[in-house]
Coordinates of all heavy atoms in Angstrom, one line a residue:
I1 N 91.1 122.9 138.9 CA 91.2 122.0 137.7 C 91.7 122.8 136.5 O 92.4 122.3 135.7 CB 89.8 121.4 137.5 CG1 89.5 120.4 138.6 CG2 89.8 120.7 136.1 CD1 88.1 119.8 138.5
E2 N 91.2 124.0 136.3 CA 91.6 124.8 135.2 C 93.1 125.0 135.1 O 93.8 124.9 134.0 CB 90.9 126.2 135.2 CG 91.2 127.0 133.9 CD 90.4 128.3 133.9 OE1 89.2 128.3 134.3 OE2 91.0 129.3 133.5
R3 N 93.8 125.3 136.2 CA 95.2 125.4 136.3 C 95.9 124.1 135.9 O 96.9 124.1 135.1 CB 95.6 125.9 137.7 CG 97.1 126.1 137.8 CD 97.5 126.5 139.3 NE 98.9 126.6 139.5 CZ 99.7 125.5 139.6 NH1 99.2 124.3 139.6 NH2 101.0 125.7 139.8
R4 N 95.4 123.0 136.5 CA 96.0 121.7 136.2 C 95.9 121.4 134.7 O 96.8 120.9 134.0 CB 95.4 120.7 137.0 CG 96.0 119.3 136.8 CD 95.5 118.3 137.8 NE 96.1 117.0 137.5 CZ 95.5 115.9 137.4 NH1 94.2 115.8 137.5 NH2 96.2 114.8 137.1
S5 N 94.8 121.7 134.1 CA 94.6 121.5 132.7 C 95.5 122.3 131.8 O 96.1 121.8 130.9 CB 93.1 121.9 132.3 OG 92.9 121.8 130.9
K6 N 95.8 123.6 132.2 CA 96.7 124.4 131.5 C 98.1 123.8 131.6 O 98.9 123.8 130.6 CB 96.7 125.8 132.0 CG 95.5 126.6 131.6 CD 95.5 128.0 132.1 CE 94.2 128.7 131.7 NZ 94.2 130.1 132.3
V7 N 98.5 123.3 132.7 CA 99.8 122.7 132.9 C 100.0 121.5 132.1 O 101.0 121.3 131.4 CB 100.1 122.4 134.4 CG1 101.3 121.5 134.6 CG2 100.2 123.7 135.2
L8 N 99.0 120.7 132.0 CA 99.0 119.4 131.2 C 99.1 119.7 129.7 O 99.9 119.1 129.0 CB 97.8 118.6 131.5 CG 97.8 117.9 132.9 CD1 96.4 117.2 133.1 CD2 98.9 116.9 133.0
V9 N 98.4 120.7 129.3 CA 98.4 121.1 127.9 C 99.8 121.7 127.5 O 100.4 121.3 126.5 CB 97.3 122.1 127.5 CG1 97.5 122.8 126.2 CG2 95.9 121.5 127.6
A10 N 100.4 122.5 128.4 CA 101.7 123.0 128.2 C 102.8 121.9 128.1 O 103.7 121.9 127.3 CB 102.1 124.0 129.2
E11 N 102.6 120.9 129.0 CA 103.6 119.8 129.0 C 103.4 118.9 127.7 O 104.4 118.5 127.1 CB 103.4 118.9 130.2 CG 103.9 119.5 131.5 CD 105.4 119.6 131.4 OE1 106.2 118.7 131.0 OE2 105.9 120.7 131.8
Q12 N 102.2 118.7 127.3 CA 102.0 118.0 126.1 C 102.6 118.7 124.9 O 103.2 118.1 124.0 CB 100.5 117.8 125.8 CG 100.2 117.0 124.6 CD 98.7 116.8 124.4 OE1 97.8 117.5 125.0 NE2 98.3 115.9 123.5
E13 N 102.4 120.0 124.8 CA 103.0 120.8 123.7 C 104.5 120.7 123.7 O 105.1 120.6 122.7 CB 102.5 122.2 123.8 CG 103.0 123.1 122.6 CD 102.4 124.5 122.6 OE1 101.2 124.6 122.9 OE2 103.2 125.4 122.4
K14 N 105.1 120.8 124.9 CA 106.5 120.7 125.0 C 107.0 119.3 124.6 O 108.0 119.2 123.8 CB 106.9 120.9 126.5 CG 108.4 121.1 126.7 CD 108.7 121.5 128.1 CE 108.9 120.4 129.0 NZ 109.3 120.7 130.4
D15 N 106.3 118.3 125.0 CA 106.7 116.9 124.5 C 106.6 116.8 123.0 O 107.4 116.2 122.4 CB 105.8 115.9 125.2 CG 106.1 115.7 126.7 OD1 107.1 116.2 127.2 OD2 105.3 115.1 127.4
H16 N 105.5 117.4 122.4 CA 105.3 117.3 121.0 C 106.5 118.0 120.2 O 107.0 117.5 119.3 CB 104.0 117.8 120.6 CG 103.7 117.7 119.1 ND1 103.5 116.4 118.5 CD2 103.6 118.6 118.1 CE1 103.3 116.6 117.2 NE2 103.3 117.9 117.0
Q17 N 106.8 119.2 120.7 CA 107.9 119.9 120.1 C 109.2 119.1 120.2 O 110.0 119.1 119.3 CB 108.1 121.3 120.7 CG 107.0 122.3 120.3 CD 106.9 122.5 118.9 OE1 107.9 122.8 118.2 NE2 105.7 122.4 118.3
A18 N 109.5 118.5 121.3 CA 110.7 117.7 121.5 C 110.7 116.5 120.5 O 111.7 116.2 119.9 CB 110.8 117.2 122.9
F19 N 109.5 115.9 120.3 CA 109.4 114.8 119.3 C 109.7 115.3 117.9 O 110.4 114.7 117.2 CB 108.0 114.2 119.4 CG 107.7 113.3 118.3 CD1 108.2 112.0 118.3 CD2 106.9 113.6 117.2 CE1 108.0 111.1 117.3 CE2 106.7 112.7 116.2 CZ 107.2 111.4 116.2
L20 N 109.1 116.5 117.6 CA 109.4 117.0 116.2 C 110.9 117.3 116.1 O 111.4 117.0 115.0 CB 108.6 118.3 116.0 CG 107.1 118.1 115.9 CD1 106.4 119.5 115.7 CD2 106.6 117.2 114.9
K21 N 111.5 117.8 117.1 CA 113.0 118.1 117.0 C 113.8 116.8 116.7 O 114.8 116.8 116.0 CB 113.5 118.8 118.2 CG 113.1 120.2 118.3 CD 113.6 120.9 119.6 CE 113.0 122.3 119.6 NZ 113.4 123.0 120.9
Q22 N 113.3 115.7 117.3 CA 114.0 114.4 117.1 C 113.9 114.0 115.6 O 114.7 113.2 115.1 CB 113.4 113.3 118.0 CG 113.7 113.5 119.4 CD 113.0 112.4 120.2 OE1 112.1 111.7 119.8 NE2 113.4 112.3 121.5
Q23 N 112.9 114.5 114.9 CA 112.7 114.1 113.5 C 113.6 114.8 112.6 O 113.9 114.4 111.4 CB 111.2 114.3 113.1 CG 110.2 113.7 113.9 CD 110.4 112.2 114.1 OE1 110.4 111.4 113.2 NE2 110.5 111.8 115.4
L24 N 114.2 115.9 113.0 CA 115.1 116.7 112.2 C 116.2 115.9 111.6 O 116.9 115.2 112.4 CB 115.6 117.9 112.9 CG 114.6 119.0 113.3 CD1 115.3 120.1 114.2 CD2 114.1 119.7 112.0
G25 N 116.5 116.0 110.3 CA 117.6 115.3 109.7 C 117.2 113.9 109.3 O 118.0 113.3 108.5
T26 N 116.1 113.3 109.7 CA 115.8 112.0 109.3 C 115.1 111.9 108.0 O 114.6 113.0 107.5 CB 114.8 111.3 110.4 OG1 113.6 112.0 110.4 CG2 115.4 111.3 111.8
V27 N 115.1 110.8 107.4 CA 114.4 110.6 106.1 C 113.3 109.6 106.4 O 113.4 108.6 107.0 CB 115.4 110.0 105.0 CG1 114.6 109.6 103.8 CG2 116.5 110.9 104.7
Q28 N 112.1 110.1 106.0 CA 110.8 109.4 106.3 C 110.0 109.2 105.1 O 109.9 110.1 104.2 CB 110.0 110.2 107.3 CG 110.7 110.6 108.6 CD 110.7 109.4 109.6 OE1 109.9 108.6 109.6 NE2 111.8 109.4 110.4
P29 N 109.3 108.1 104.9 CA 108.3 108.0 103.9 C 107.1 108.9 104.3 O 106.7 108.8 105.5 CB 107.9 106.5 103.9 CG 108.2 106.0 105.2 CD 109.4 106.8 105.7
V30 N 106.6 109.6 103.4 CA 105.4 110.5 103.6 C 104.3 110.2 102.6 O 104.6 110.2 101.4 CB 105.8 112.0 103.6 CG1 104.6 112.9 103.8 CG2 106.9 112.3 104.7
L31 N 103.1 110.0 103.1 CA 102.0 109.9 102.2 C 101.3 111.2 102.1 O 100.9 111.8 103.1 CB 100.9 108.9 102.8 CG 99.6 108.9 102.0 CD1 99.7 108.5 100.6 CD2 98.6 107.9 102.8
F32 N 101.4 111.8 100.9 CA 100.9 113.1 100.6 C 99.4 113.0 100.3 O 99.0 112.4 99.4 CB 101.6 113.8 99.5 CG 103.0 114.2 99.9 CD1 104.1 113.4 99.6 CD2 103.2 115.3 100.7 CE1 105.3 113.7 100.1 CE2 104.5 115.7 101.1 CZ 105.6 114.8 100.8
E33 N 98.6 113.7 101.1 CA 97.1 113.6 101.0 C 96.5 114.7 100.1 O 95.6 114.5 99.4 CB 96.5 113.7 102.4 CG 96.9 112.5 103.2 CD 96.2 112.5 104.6 OE1 95.8 113.6 105.1 OE2 96.2 111.5 105.2
R34 N 97.1 115.9 100.2 CA 96.4 117.0 99.5 C 97.4 118.2 99.4 O 98.3 118.4 100.2 CB 95.2 117.4 100.2 CG 95.4 118.0 101.6 CD 94.2 118.2 102.4 NE 94.5 118.4 103.8 CZ 94.9 119.6 104.3 NH1 95.1 120.6 103.5 NH2 95.2 119.7 105.6
P35 N 97.1 119.0 98.4 CA 97.8 120.3 98.3 C 97.2 121.3 99.3 O 96.0 121.3 99.5 CB 97.6 120.8 96.9 CG 96.4 120.1 96.4 CD 96.3 118.9 97.2
I36 N 98.0 122.1 100.0 CA 97.5 123.1 100.9 C 97.6 124.5 100.4 O 97.1 125.4 100.9 CB 98.1 123.0 102.3 CG1 99.6 123.1 102.3 CG2 97.7 121.7 103.0 CD1 100.3 123.2 103.6
D37 N 98.3 124.6 99.3 CA 98.5 125.9 98.6 C 99.1 125.5 97.2 O 99.4 124.3 97.0 CB 99.4 126.8 99.3 CG 99.2 128.3 99.0 OD1 98.5 128.5 98.0 OD2 99.7 129.1 99.7
T38 N 99.2 126.4 96.3 CA 99.8 126.2 95.0 C 101.3 125.7 95.2 O 102.1 126.4 95.8 CB 99.8 127.4 94.1 OG1 98.4 127.9 94.0 CG2 100.4 127.1 92.8
G39 N 101.5 124.4 94.8 CA 102.9 123.9 94.9 C 103.3 123.5 96.3 O 104.5 123.2 96.5
V40 N 102.4 123.5 97.3 CA 102.7 123.1 98.6 C 101.8 121.9 99.0 O 100.6 122.0 98.9 CB 102.5 124.3 99.6 CG1 102.9 123.9 101.0 CG2 103.3 125.5 99.2
Y41 N 102.4 120.8 99.5 CA 101.7 119.6 99.8 C 101.9 119.2 101.3 O 103.0 119.4 101.8 CB 102.2 118.5 98.9 CG 101.8 118.8 97.5 CD1 102.7 119.6 96.7 CD2 100.6 118.4 96.9 CE1 102.3 119.9 95.4 CE2 100.2 118.7 95.6 CZ 101.1 119.5 94.9 OH 100.7 119.9 93.6
A42 N 100.9 118.6 101.8 CA 100.9 118.1 103.2 C 100.6 116.6 103.2 O 99.8 116.1 102.4 CB 99.8 118.9 104.0
G43 N 101.3 116.0 104.1 CA 101.1 114.5 104.3 C 101.6 114.1 105.7 O 101.9 114.9 106.5
Y44 N 101.6 112.8 105.9 CA 101.9 112.2 107.2 C 103.0 111.1 107.0 O 102.9 110.3 106.1 CB 100.7 111.6 107.9 CG 99.8 112.7 108.3 CD1 98.8 113.2 107.5 CD2 99.9 113.3 109.5 CE1 97.9 114.2 107.9 CE2 99.1 114.4 109.9 CZ 98.1 114.8 109.1 OH 97.2 115.8 109.5
T45 N 103.9 111.0 108.0 CA 104.8 109.8 108.1 C 104.0 108.7 108.7 O 102.9 108.8 109.2 CB 106.0 110.2 109.0 OG1 105.6 110.4 110.3 CG2 106.7 111.5 108.5
P46 N 104.7 107.5 108.8 CA 104.0 106.3 109.4 C 103.7 106.6 110.9 O 102.8 106.0 111.4 CB 105.0 105.2 109.3 CG 105.7 105.5 108.0 CD 105.9 107.1 108.0
N47 N 104.4 107.5 111.6 CA 104.1 107.8 113.0 C 103.3 109.0 113.1 O 103.2 109.6 114.2 CB 105.4 107.9 113.8 CG 106.3 109.0 113.4 OD1 105.9 109.8 112.6 ND2 107.5 109.0 113.9
Y48 N 102.6 109.4 112.0 CA 101.6 110.5 112.0 C 102.2 111.9 112.2 O 101.5 112.8 112.7 CB 100.4 110.2 113.0 CG 99.7 109.0 112.7 CD1 99.9 107.8 113.4 CD2 98.9 108.9 111.6 CE1 99.2 106.6 113.1 CE2 98.2 107.8 111.2 CZ 98.4 106.6 112.0 OH 97.7 105.5 111.6
T49 N 103.5 112.0 111.9 CA 104.1 113.4 111.9 C 103.6 114.1 110.7 O 103.7 113.6 109.6 CB 105.6 113.3 111.9 OG1 106.0 112.5 113.0 CG2 106.2 114.7 111.9
H50 N 103.0 115.3 110.9 CA 102.5 116.1 109.8 C 103.7 116.8 109.1 O 104.5 117.4 109.7 CB 101.6 117.2 110.3 CG 100.9 117.9 109.2 ND1 101.1 119.2 109.0 CD2 99.9 117.5 108.4 CE1 100.3 119.6 108.0 NE2 99.6 118.6 107.6
V51 N 103.8 116.6 107.8 CA 104.9 117.1 107.0 C 104.4 118.0 105.8 O 103.4 117.6 105.2 CB 105.8 116.0 106.4 CG1 107.0 116.5 105.6 CG2 106.3 115.1 107.6
V52 N 105.1 119.1 105.6 CA 104.7 120.0 104.5 C 106.0 120.3 103.7 O 107.1 120.4 104.2 CB 104.2 121.4 105.1 CG1 103.9 122.4 104.0 CG2 103.0 121.2 106.0
L53 N 105.8 120.3 102.4 CA 106.9 120.7 101.5 C 106.4 121.3 100.2 O 105.2 121.2 99.9 CB 107.8 119.5 101.2 CG 107.3 118.2 100.5 CD1 107.1 118.5 99.0 CD2 108.3 117.1 100.7
S54 N 107.3 121.9 99.5 CA 107.0 122.6 98.2 C 107.5 121.6 97.1 O 108.5 121.0 97.2 CB 107.8 123.9 98.1 OG 107.3 124.8 99.0
S55 N 106.7 121.5 96.1 CA 107.0 120.7 94.9 C 106.4 121.2 93.7 O 105.2 121.7 93.7 CB 106.6 119.3 95.2 OG 106.9 118.5 94.0
G56 N 107.1 121.2 92.6 CA 106.5 121.6 91.3 C 105.6 120.5 90.7 O 104.9 120.7 89.7
K57 N 105.7 119.3 91.3 CA 104.9 118.1 90.8 C 103.8 117.8 91.8 O 103.9 118.0 93.0 CB 105.8 116.9 90.8 CG 105.2 115.6 90.3 CD 106.2 114.5 90.4 CE 105.4 113.2 90.1 NZ 106.0 112.0 90.6
D58 N 102.6 117.4 91.3 CA 101.5 117.0 92.1 C 101.8 115.7 92.9 O 102.0 114.7 92.2 CB 100.2 116.8 91.3 CG 99.0 116.5 92.1 OD1 99.1 116.5 93.3 OD2 97.9 116.3 91.5
L59 N 101.9 115.8 94.2 CA 102.2 114.7 95.0 C 101.0 114.0 95.6 O 101.2 113.0 96.4 CB 103.2 115.1 96.1 CG 104.5 115.8 95.7 CD1 105.3 116.2 96.9 CD2 105.3 114.8 94.8
T60 N 99.8 114.5 95.3 CA 98.6 113.9 96.0 C 98.5 112.4 95.8 O 98.6 111.9 94.7 CB 97.4 114.6 95.4 OG1 97.5 116.0 95.5 CG2 96.1 114.1 96.1
G61 N 98.4 111.7 96.9 CA 98.2 110.2 96.8 C 99.5 109.5 96.7 O 99.5 108.2 96.7
E62 N 100.6 110.1 96.7 CA 101.9 109.5 96.5 C 102.7 109.3 97.8 O 102.5 110.2 98.7 CB 102.8 110.2 95.5 CG 102.2 110.2 94.1 CD 103.2 110.8 93.1 OE1 104.4 110.6 93.3 OE2 102.8 111.4 92.1
V63 N 103.5 108.3 97.9 CA 104.4 108.1 99.0 C 105.8 108.4 98.5 O 106.2 107.9 97.6 CB 104.3 106.7 99.6 CG1 105.4 106.5 100.7 CG2 103.0 106.3 100.1
K64 N 106.4 109.4 99.2 CA 107.8 109.8 98.8 C 108.7 109.9 100.0 O 108.2 110.1 101.1 CB 107.7 111.2 98.2 CG 106.9 111.4 96.9 CD 107.7 110.7 95.8 CE 107.0 110.9 94.4 NZ 107.7 110.3 93.3
E65 N 110.0 109.6 99.8 CA 111.0 109.8 100.8 C 111.2 111.2 101.0 O 111.5 112.0 100.0 CB 112.2 109.0 100.4 CG 112.1 107.5 100.4 CD 111.8 106.9 101.8 OE1 112.6 107.2 102.7 OE2 110.9 106.1 101.9
V66 N 111.2 111.7 102.3 CA 111.4 113.1 102.6 C 112.4 113.3 103.7 O 112.3 112.5 104.7 CB 110.0 113.7 103.0 CG1 110.1 115.1 103.5 CG2 109.0 113.6 101.9
R67 N 113.3 114.2 103.5 CA 114.2 114.6 104.6 C 113.6 115.7 105.4 O 113.2 116.7 104.8 CB 115.6 115.0 104.1 CG 116.5 115.4 105.2 CD 117.9 115.7 104.7 NE 118.6 114.4 104.3 CZ 118.7 114.0 103.0 NH1 118.3 114.7 102.0 NH2 119.3 112.8 102.7
I68 N 113.5 115.5 106.7 CA 112.9 116.5 107.6 C 114.0 117.6 107.8 O 115.0 117.3 108.4 CB 112.4 115.9 108.9 CG1 111.4 114.7 108.6 CG2 111.8 116.9 109.8 CD1 110.2 115.1 107.8
T69 N 113.7 118.8 107.5 CA 114.7 119.9 107.5 C 114.3 121.0 108.5 O 115.1 121.8 108.8 CB 114.9 120.5 106.2 OG1 113.6 121.0 105.7 CG2 115.4 119.5 105.1
G70 N 113.1 121.0 109.0 CA 112.7 122.1 109.9 C 111.4 121.8 110.6 O 110.7 120.8 110.3
I71 N 111.0 122.8 111.4 CA 109.7 122.7 112.2 C 109.0 124.0 112.0 O 109.6 125.1 112.1 CB 110.0 122.4 113.7 CG1 110.7 121.1 113.8 CG2 108.7 122.4 114.4 CD1 111.2 120.9 115.2
S72 N 107.7 124.0 111.8 CA 106.9 125.2 111.7 C 105.6 124.9 112.5 O 104.7 124.1 112.0 CB 106.6 125.5 110.3 OG 105.7 126.7 110.3
G73 N 105.5 125.4 113.7 CA 104.3 125.2 114.5 C 104.2 123.7 114.9 O 105.1 123.2 115.5
E74 N 103.1 123.1 114.5 CA 102.9 121.6 114.8 C 103.3 120.7 113.7 O 103.1 119.5 113.7 CB 101.4 121.4 115.1 CG 100.9 122.2 116.3 CD 101.5 121.8 117.6 OE1 101.6 120.6 117.8 OE2 102.0 122.7 118.3
S75 N 104.0 121.3 112.6 CA 104.3 120.5 111.5 C 105.9 120.5 111.2 O 106.6 121.4 111.7 CB 103.7 121.1 110.2 OG 102.3 121.1 110.3
C76 N 106.3 119.4 110.5 CA 107.7 119.4 110.1 C 107.7 119.9 108.6 O 106.8 119.8 107.9 CB 108.3 118.0 110.1 SG 108.7 117.4 111.8
I77 N 108.8 120.5 108.3 CA 109.1 121.0 106.9 C 110.1 119.9 106.3 O 111.0 119.5 107.0 CB 109.7 122.4 106.9 CG1 108.9 123.4 107.7 CG2 110.0 122.8 105.5 CD1 107.5 123.6 107.2
G78 N 109.8 119.6 105.0 CA 110.7 118.6 104.4 C 111.1 119.0 103.0 O 110.6 119.9 102.4
E79 N 112.0 118.1 102.5 CA 112.4 118.2 101.1 C 112.5 116.8 100.5 O 112.8 115.9 101.3 CB 113.8 118.9 101.0 CG 114.9 118.2 101.6 CD 116.2 119.0 101.6 OE1 116.2 120.2 101.4 OE2 117.3 118.3 101.8
L80 N 112.1 116.7 99.3 CA 112.1 115.4 98.6 C 113.5 114.9 98.5 O 114.4 115.6 98.2 CB 111.5 115.4 97.2 CG 110.0 115.7 97.2 CD1 109.5 115.8 95.7 CD2 109.2 114.6 97.9
V81 N 113.7 113.6 98.8 CA 115.0 112.9 98.6 C 114.9 112.3 97.2 O 114.1 111.4 96.9 CB 115.2 111.8 99.7 CG1 116.5 111.0 99.4 CG2 115.2 112.4 101.1
E82 N 115.8 112.7 96.4 CA 115.8 112.2 95.0 C 116.7 111.1 94.8 O 117.7 111.0 95.4 CB 116.2 113.4 94.0 CG 115.2 114.6 94.1 CD 113.8 114.3 93.6 OE1 113.6 113.4 92.8 OE2 112.9 114.9 94.2

C-alpha cells in the first residue's frame, strides 16, 4: 500500500504541475487575500490556482487581472495587467 500511495502522490503532483503550465500566459482575475512578505501578495484565481506577485500597492481584498508568467513550486507567479 505504501508504494501505491507514493505512486499516486507522484502522479497527482505531475498532473498539478501540468495544470500550472497550462496557466502560463493567461490573464486571470485574482482575489488577493494577504501579503506574504513586504510588497508580495498571494491570492487565488476562480479555479483556486495560487498566485503570488510583487506590488508597491496593498492588494489585500482586491480582485485584479493578473497575467501568469511563471511557476514556483505549487504556485503561479504573476504580474498585474494595467
Side-chain angles (χ1 to χ4, degrees):
I1 291 178
E2 186 175 317
R3 181 182 172 282
R4 182 170 183 232
S5 176
K6 287 180 182 179
V7 169
L8 289 173
V9 168
E11 284 299 314
Q12 181 182 14
E13 185 175 316
K14 188 169 93 175
D15 288 347
H16 184 67
Q17 288 298 311
F19 172 76
L20 293 179
K21 286 180 184 175
Q22 290 176 347
Q23 305 306 302
L24 289 173
T26 65
V27 174
Q28 305 279 333
V30 175
L31 170 61
F32 289 96
E33 296 182 339
R34 62 188 168 82
I36 58 173
D37 203 348
T38 303
V40 180
Y41 295 86
Y44 291 91
T45 67
N47 62 11
Y48 300 104
T49 301
H50 188 251
V51 178
V52 177
L53 64 74
S54 295
S55 175
K57 179 183 173 202
D58 183 1
L59 300 176
T60 304
E62 295 190 33
V63 175
K64 297 287 188 180
E65 293 292 310
V66 174
R67 179 172 290 104
I68 306 301
T69 59
I71 300 169
S72 178
E74 299 295 314
S75 301
C76 284
I77 307 300
E79 63 185 19
L80 290 176
V81 175
E82 299 297 328

